[in-house]
Amino acid sequence: MTRFLIGILIFIGADLFAQEKQNFNDGRDSFSIYASSKGNDLMAFEAYAGIKGTPFLVDTWSIGSIVLKNGDVFDNLRLKYDMNEDNVLVWDKTDKKIFPSRNITKSFNFTDSTGVSHFFINISEKEYKFEIGIDFGFFELLYNGKTKLLAKRKKYLHHVEPKGGYSDNKSYDEFRSESPKYYWVDNKGKLFELKKGKKNILNLLKDDGSLEAYIKKEKIKLNKEQDIVQLIQHYDTEYLK
């Protein structure tokens, strides 16, 4: 799936012109030390023992970068996104696995083992204060053009509830996925929840018939994430010239 990372270059590039900002090209040694030295809370990671599944978006470690709210950039980090904690997990060369406080993290990005790039923004950061009713957590930026498309991804820990026997015949706790929630930000910065389904999406985009014709021509199935991204990109190109 194609991801659009224009935002990374904009966000990082602007900060690097400031003298006090730093870019740590090999941040694996220095991230936890630096973050601790700034008085930031770091939560040590403890393995999820005895639980079926994992809370991660991608189970394997990926190489990526973190941008802090003060503008400092840490590259070449080993990262995972924990969808239960809604936080990025960092493994540095000192063998520490830590969750930095969300209060210090502006964004992070990584490329997984299949070559797919992921870019997450902290929605509470003032730069991302869209006109919305949500103000916390990390959202994946799927498309960043004249309009934007965001996804909120979530896993939760389901606990066994014994009732004489075990509920639903399972004797273990497990991580379960929730369906992603999608949000569309129009070119004025106002955010709307985008619910799957052709009718819902076309109503939101105020289609005059040309989008529906494009969907038919391209044989787009709007129950797939990549097809929604394709349609939003087409909307930007054709509707917002």
Side-chain angles (χ1 to χ4, degrees):
M1 181 193 312
T2 302
R3 303 288 188 178
F4 297 84
L5 299 182
I6 298 172
I8 297 175
L9 300 177
I10 295 173
F11 303 146
I12 295 176
D15 286 330
L16 295 181
F17 284 104
Q19 184 176 0
E20 69 275 13
K21 309 307 180 187
Q22 300 183 65
N23 191 316
F24 300 85
N25 290 322
D26 190 351
R28 288 175 289 174
D29 277 333
S30 54
F31 181 78
S32 60
I33 296 172
Y34 172 90
S36 297
S37 72
K38 297 296 183 180
N40 298 306
D41 295 329
L42 301 174
M43 186 172 69
F45 172 72
E46 296 183 5
Y48 297 104
I51 301 173
K52 185 177 181 180
T54 78
F56 303 114
L57 177 64
V58 179
D59 288 342
T60 55
W61 291 94
S62 302
I63 300 299
S65 302
I66 290 179
V67 181
L68 302 185
K69 288 188 177 182
N70 69 356
D72 287 342
V73 182
F74 286 81
D75 297 322
N76 202 27
L77 291 168
R78 286 177 287 184
L79 306 176
K80 287 184 179 182
Y81 175 50
D82 188 317
M83 298 163 65
N84 181 60
E85 291 286 340
D86 190 21
N87 206 351
V88 57
L89 181 63
V90 181
W91 182 11
D92 65 19
K93 283 184 178 178
T94 63
D95 210 33
K96 293 180 180 177
K97 299 182 181 72
I98 57 171
F99 289 112
S101 170
R102 280 199 299 264
N103 294 331
I104 72 171
T105 305
K106 179 179 179 180
S107 65
F108 64 91
N109 69 87
F110 60 88
T111 300
D112 65 31
S113 60
T114 68
V116 175
S117 296
H118 303 270
F119 179 38
F120 285 82
I121 61 174
N122 188 341
I123 204 75
S124 66
E125 169 62 16
K126 62 182 180 181
E127 186 169 338
Y128 311 125
K129 284 287 187 182
F130 309 120
E131 294 182 22
I132 56 177
I134 49 177
D135 60 358
F136 64 90
F138 288 105
F139 288 68
E140 186 165 9
L141 183 59
L142 301 177
Y143 174 71
N144 186 25
K146 297 171 186 176
T147 68
K148 296 174 173 60
L149 182 65
L150 307 173
K152 182 61 182 174
R153 308 195 186 281
K154 180 69 177 175
K155 284 186 179 180
Y156 67 97
L157 181 57
H158 175 75
H159 295 283
V160 170
E161 297 178 1
K163 298 177 181 178
Y166 289 103
S167 60
D168 57 23
N169 296 318
K170 295 183 178 180
S171 57
Y172 49 80
D173 294 341
E174 65 177 334
F175 286 107
R176 294 183 177 179
S177 297
E178 293 183 355
S179 297
K181 289 187 177 181
Y182 298 98
Y183 297 88
W184 178 65
V185 184
D186 69 14
N187 59 336
K188 296 180 181 179
K190 189 172 182 180
L191 185 145
F192 304 86
E193 184 173 355
L194 188 154
K195 296 183 178 180
K196 282 187 175 181
K198 185 173 74 172
K199 183 177 180 181
N200 292 329
I201 295 174
L202 293 182
N203 284 342
L204 178 61
L205 299 179
K206 296 180 171 58
D207 178 38
D208 61 3
S210 58
L211 285 179
E212 187 167 13
Y214 174 78
I215 291 170
K216 184 177 181 180
K217 177 184 176 183
E218 298 296 322
K219 299 179 180 179
I220 292 176
K221 305 294 184 182
L222 291 178
N223 60 338
K224 296 181 179 180
E225 187 172 281
Q226 61 266 32
D227 288 346
I228 298 174
V229 173
Q230 180 181 340
L231 182 64
I232 297 299
Q233 183 182 20
H234 177 76
Y235 173 90
D236 266 24
T237 303
E238 298 301 321
Y239 274 56
L240 302 176
K241 294 180 181 179

